[in-house]
Amino acid sequence: MISVKSKSELEKMRKAGIIAGNALHFGGQSIKAGMTTYELDKIIENYIVKNGAKPSFKGYGGFPAAACISINDQVIHGIPSKKVRIQEGDIVSIDVGAYIDGFHGDTAYTFAVGKISEDAQRLLRVTEESLYKGIEQAIAGNRIGDVGHAIEEHCTAFGYGVVRKYIGHGVGRNLHESPEVPNYGKPGHGPRLVAGMTIAIEPMINAVGEDVKVLPDGWTVLTKSGSLSAHFEHTVAVTPDGPVLLTKPTL
Ligand code: MG
């Protein structure tokens, strides 16, 4: 069942969303070549906890850290590690959730570390653009397929692979709720969007090919082709006034 949130529930979700968005922004600002992904995760976790929230991902399905940190050919769910050092030229996807007052906010961004290749710059730009094209379709009366189609159409026009195995989702009292929000779809198909629905829209886009594989750690998802991959995400409320970003940072 798809839950519809009241105005006061949406306010609570905005509170969770701001903490998640600010933690992500703060984490991104803190990235330095040479630091470990463990150190970066701790900076993000401390920010969340200091602001009275809990990291949504820590312990979720046994995930051991506050943030998923996925570098270069890693798509999503990278486990922060003392053994992984961020390097100049990397692209670093950070995915963060914050839980407070009974609700979650979920958001992701792929950061460039220093100077990155033109191909990498284009992948980041197009993937972020596709997120906003999806968000534009998160309008009451539209359907989930309209969101996915907008993302897919934009990314495939650049020859990129739209990951199909992992998708966006409803978010609220639970980190993952109905409906499923794929980054592909047919216009006019899928569940209808109504005001009060809150969804995490999160394109995961590979430079080459849609196929992915999972590392033996059981979490880290990589591109099968070995190409770079980017990930951008916002928690979005469908409202009578159009889509509202709940995870927009205020820092
Ligand atoms: Mg998500």
Side-chain angles (χ1 to χ4, degrees):
M1 207 188 76
I2 300 174
S3 73
V4 170
K5 282 81 178 177
S6 67
K7 210 168 180 188
S8 72
E9 288 175 323
L10 288 180
E11 277 163 21
K12 287 180 184 172
M13 285 198 66
R14 176 65 181 135
K15 189 175 170 187
I18 287 173
I19 295 171
N22 286 352
L24 177 62
H25 182 82
F26 185 65
Q29 300 294 309
S30 306
I31 296 177
K32 283 188 183 70
M35 85 192 307
T36 66
T37 52
Y38 175 87
E39 291 169 318
L40 180 55
D41 178 66
K42 285 295 160 201
I43 288 168
I44 292 165
E45 179 171 9
N46 288 340
Y47 184 92
I48 293 169
V49 172
K50 208 177 65 188
N51 283 278
K54 281 185 183 165
S56 304
F57 300 171
K58 200 165 191 180
Y60 187 88
F63 192 77
C68 299
I69 304 180
S70 311
I71 299 179
N72 295 334
D73 64 336
Q74 297 179 352
V75 181
I76 49 167
H77 299 167
I79 301 175
S81 166
K82 289 178 178 171
K83 291 178 188 157
V84 177
R85 279 189 195 279
I86 295 168
Q87 296 179 27
E88 170 86 17
D90 282 346
I91 61 169
V92 178
S93 300
I94 305 179
D95 193 348
V96 176
Y99 179 76
I100 189 166
D101 294 346
F103 288 90
H104 295 274
D106 188 4
T107 184
Y109 194 95
T110 302
F111 297 93
V113 183
K115 198 171 162 47
I116 60 169
S117 70
E118 273 182 33
D119 284 352
Q121 286 176 38
R122 192 179 66 142
L123 177 68
L124 266 49
R125 176 177 59 79
V126 171
T127 305
E128 188 173 17
E129 284 168 359
S130 79
L131 168 61
Y132 287 95
K133 288 185 181 291
I135 290 168
E136 275 174 25
Q137 296 297 320
I139 296 168
N142 268 6
R143 291 182 183 268
I144 285 292
D146 295 309
V147 174
H149 178 74
I151 293 167
E152 181 183 24
E153 192 180 40
H154 187 61
C155 295
T156 54
F158 289 84
Y160 294 148
V162 176
V163 173
R164 299 174 83 89
K165 204 170 169 193
Y166 299 88
I167 56 178
H169 49 92
V171 53
R173 290 192 183 276
N174 303 294
L175 181 59
H176 295 112
E177 316 184 325
S178 291
E180 295 186 332
V181 185
N183 297 304
Y184 54 88
K186 283 187 191 160
H189 284 68
R192 194 177 289 283
L193 296 168
V194 299
M197 281 173 57
T198 46
I199 53 176
I201 303 176
E202 50 176 322
M204 300 156 225
I205 306 299
N206 301 342
V208 179
E210 66 183 51
D211 292 340
V212 294
K213 58 185 180 183
V214 181
L215 279 186
D217 67 20
W219 282 103
T220 312
V221 178
L222 300 96
T223 62
K224 217 169 203 174
S225 65
S227 79
L228 295 177
S229 186
H231 180 211
F232 289 81
E233 175 180 25
H234 269 304
T235 297
V236 179
V238 179
T239 82
D241 304 319
V244 172
L245 300 186
L246 297 175
T247 40
K248 192 173 171 185
T250 56
L251 286 179

